[in-house]
Amino acid sequence: MNSIYITYYILLTNAYSYQSSLGNGPRSFWNSLTDLTDGIQDILQMYGTRPNINSSVLPEVENSMTISTGLPGTRFQPIVDQNIADICIPMMQCNRTSRYRTINGSCNNLMFPMWGLTGTALVRLIPALYQDGLHQPRMSVTGRPLPNVRDLRNGLLYNKNTPDHINTLIVMEWGQIISHDTTHISVLPVSSLGDLQCCINNTYPAMVTELPAQCMPIQVPVDDPYFSRFNQTCLNFIRSVTTTDYGCSLVPQQQLAMVTHFVDASFIYGSTDYIANLIRNGTGGKLAVQRTPDGREFPPNVPNATHYCDVSMDSETCYLAGDSRVNQNTDVSIIHIVFLREHNKLCTELLALNPHWDDERLYQEARRIVVAAVQRITYSDFLIVMLGVVLIFRKDRTTPAETEFQIMTLMNYIMAMKLC
């Protein structure tokens, strides 16, 4: 399965590079594509100056969006259709003189201030394949239900130790951190009674059709190599938040990203003003911490640890951070701790250099430096490890702008495949 994904990356990249070599290179190609489709549609949609314009009236551009594997539903859809959920975004005013990024990702692009905003829809590179065209899970090409996902997992992804003699675990973990920084699909609580449970005492329900619409429990085979030891035949699975849940009816529905879409260290600082303020100390620009008796700093604990973490008492360790997945595994927690300490260290050093700065200025300046460090690690170090120096710095890329363009394109493909 992994080799199929890697091959798909290479095919996409090569096809895009081929198309980009036409005319005046990728910069000219991208500008033309934006001018002809994306810019026209989004400006008109965003500012409410048009009814629904059919994409057929726009000039047709032959580009990577038309790459297809030859299989049904695998052709990239036009940019107009990718950005259909822009009509759901409310308008807001930007402070054009601000020197700092907003917490929620808005106003990063002053022409399109809602791009990347927390709570906006993800872009579908290929069309949705819902059974009813709206939201019902798709069927196989034969019209029957798709294969059991637990069987596929056991058959395709083997549990075996495959040590890497070149790279350390941090390579994988940094990829996870960046995915947390740019993507988070969440679920809505169904009621105030707590989280929705789609299984009945870890058993697959007999009448699945009578479950709430958000339920899509995963049936576990009785001979499952792991869960059979616990007599568990059901895994709880709740469908993600969509534009429909927020009162914007689209066909098909679109999933929402509950974090900013940018590499902006939102996993540290949060993607909403509420979370950002919750984890601040309030003095000296620093983030809130809990200290051990020997003076080491760690993120503060959530007040109800048993709800958010797999612990038996609320007094046990369960961190509060800019991203709720901080407790997902030990390595993710460690990276959070490193950048928390780095931010607070920077605040101390900046205050020594600028004793007249207030809490807000210290916080924002330290945040700017940390965001830049995260971006530098991602684009200058991580992607080179993942994709290779030869691919990143090929001789046929004559300018830094072209190299940066290719890196950004590859990053988008990798993140898109991760979400599939």
Side-chain angles (χ1 to χ4, degrees):
M1 181 65 71
N2 288 339
S3 62
I4 294 175
Y5 286 162
I6 293 171
T7 303
Y8 194 40
Y9 293 156
I10 295 172
L11 286 173
L12 288 173
T13 304
N14 288 345
Y16 202 94
S17 297
Y18 171 75
Q19 180 64 49
S20 298
S21 67
L22 302 178
N24 295 319
R27 191 182 314 164
S28 174
F29 166 71
W30 178 254
N31 289 340
S32 299
L33 177 61
T34 303
D35 290 341
L36 291 172
T37 55
D38 202 7
I40 295 173
Q41 287 292 97
D42 284 311
I43 289 173
L44 292 175
Q45 281 188 5
M46 187 166 293
Y47 293 97
T49 57
R50 69 161 184 87
N52 186 26
I53 295 179
N54 191 296
S55 60
S56 63
V57 305
L58 296 176
E60 184 168 327
V61 181
E62 289 297 325
N63 53 59
S64 67
M65 300 303 174
T66 62
I67 296 172
S68 173
T69 63
L71 300 174
T74 58
R75 182 177 296 276
F76 277 20
Q77 60 181 344
I79 291 180
V80 173
D81 295 330
Q82 290 181 26
N83 294 337
I84 186 174
D86 282 357
I87 64 175
C88 299
I89 307 174
M91 283 302 300
M92 68 183 303
Q93 297 296 320
C94 295
N95 179 2
R96 292 178 173 269
T97 63
S98 175
R99 57 187 283 124
Y100 308 116
R101 287 176 176 269
T102 59
I103 287 292
N104 64 10
S106 63
C107 301
N108 190 49
N109 183 324
L110 293 178
M111 287 187 63
F112 308 103
M114 297 302 142
W115 282 4
L117 174 66
T118 301
T120 53
L122 296 163
V123 172
R124 291 187 188 275
L125 296 183
I126 60 177
L129 284 177
Y130 291 117
Q131 179 183 342
D132 60 352
L134 175 61
H135 64 88
Q136 288 297 327
R138 59 172 292 223
M139 307 292 279
S140 74
V141 293
T142 65
R144 294 177 294 184
L146 293 170
N148 180 280
V149 294
R150 185 63 186 170
D151 280 337
L152 291 176
R153 184 257 179 258
N154 292 333
L156 296 174
L157 303 174
Y158 301 105
N159 291 324
K160 63 178 180 179
N161 185 27
T162 53
D164 190 322
H165 300 289
I166 298 176
N167 300 308
T168 65
L169 185 62
I170 191 63
V171 173
M172 182 277 290
E173 289 299 351
W174 190 260
Q176 188 171 20
I177 281 290
I178 294 306
S179 73
H180 288 186
D181 197 18
T182 56
T183 59
H184 190 192
I185 299 177
S186 187
V187 298
L188 279 176
V190 178
S191 70
S192 58
L193 300 178
D195 294 333
L196 177 64
Q197 295 297 322
C198 302
C199 300
I200 302 175
N201 297 323
N202 290 329
T203 301
Y204 193 75
M207 302 297 291
V208 179
T209 56
E210 296 183 1
L211 293 172
Q214 294 91 340
C215 275
M216 193 187 294
I218 298 172
Q219 186 170 17
V220 177
V222 294
D223 59 348
D224 188 89
Y226 178 78
F227 288 107
S228 61
R229 291 179 284 175
F230 311 101
N231 294 320
Q232 183 171 349
T233 60
C234 183
L235 298 177
N236 195 48
F237 185 82
I238 305 172
R239 299 188 69 179
S240 56
V241 173
T242 69
T243 47
T244 302
D245 297 312
Y246 279 81
C248 183
S249 298
L250 297 176
V251 180
Q253 64 184 11
Q254 309 288 321
Q255 278 68 37
L256 301 179
M258 307 313 292
V259 297
T260 68
H261 305 197
F262 306 110
V263 179
D264 60 357
S266 61
F267 67 96
I268 305 168
Y269 300 104
S271 291
T272 65
D273 290 333
Y274 172 77
I275 294 296
N277 293 327
L278 188 65
I279 60 177
R280 287 180 64 171
N281 178 279
T283 59
K286 293 185 177 182
L287 298 174
V289 299
Q290 57 176 320
R291 285 186 175 85
T292 60
D294 59 358
R296 290 176 298 158
E297 294 184 343
F298 293 89
N301 265 17
V302 296
N304 47 347
T306 53
H307 178 75
Y308 293 101
C309 292
D310 187 16
V311 295
S312 57
M313 297 185 296
D314 284 337
S315 59
E316 295 185 62
T317 299
C318 181
Y319 294 137
L320 172 66
D323 186 88
S324 61
R325 294 160 291 184
V326 57
N327 302 291
Q328 195 171 79
N329 62 61
T330 303
D331 298 299
V332 167
S333 299
I334 289 172
I335 294 175
H336 274 264
I337 294 167
V338 167
F339 280 100
L340 167 70
R341 294 177 179 177
E342 178 64 14
H343 174 93
N344 286 351
K345 174 175 172 285
L346 286 167
C347 287
T348 299
E349 294 174 348
L350 289 170
L351 180 60
L353 294 171
N354 305 277
H356 57 287
W357 283 3
D358 61 9
D359 172 67
E360 183 66 18
R361 181 72 183 271
L362 289 166
Y363 169 81
Q364 294 291 359
E365 293 291 345
R367 177 172 167 248
R368 285 182 73 191
I369 297 172
V370 171
V371 171
V374 170
Q375 292 174 341
R376 174 67 185 231
I377 293 169
T378 302
Y379 291 107
S380 295
D381 301 317
F382 173 71
L383 282 183
I384 289 178
V385 172
M386 292 296 296
L387 303 174
V389 176
V390 174
L391 181 60
I392 294 292
F393 298 106
R394 288 206 320 246
K395 291 182 179 179
D396 58 348
R397 302 207 183 96
T398 58
T399 68
E402 288 180 325
T403 298
E404 180 181 0
F405 177 85
Q406 292 289 348
I407 291 176
M408 293 291 288
T409 301
L410 289 166
M411 183 75 170
N412 288 337
Y413 284 146
I414 290 174
M415 295 307 298
M417 294 304 291
K418 177 178 174 56
L419 291 170
C420 290

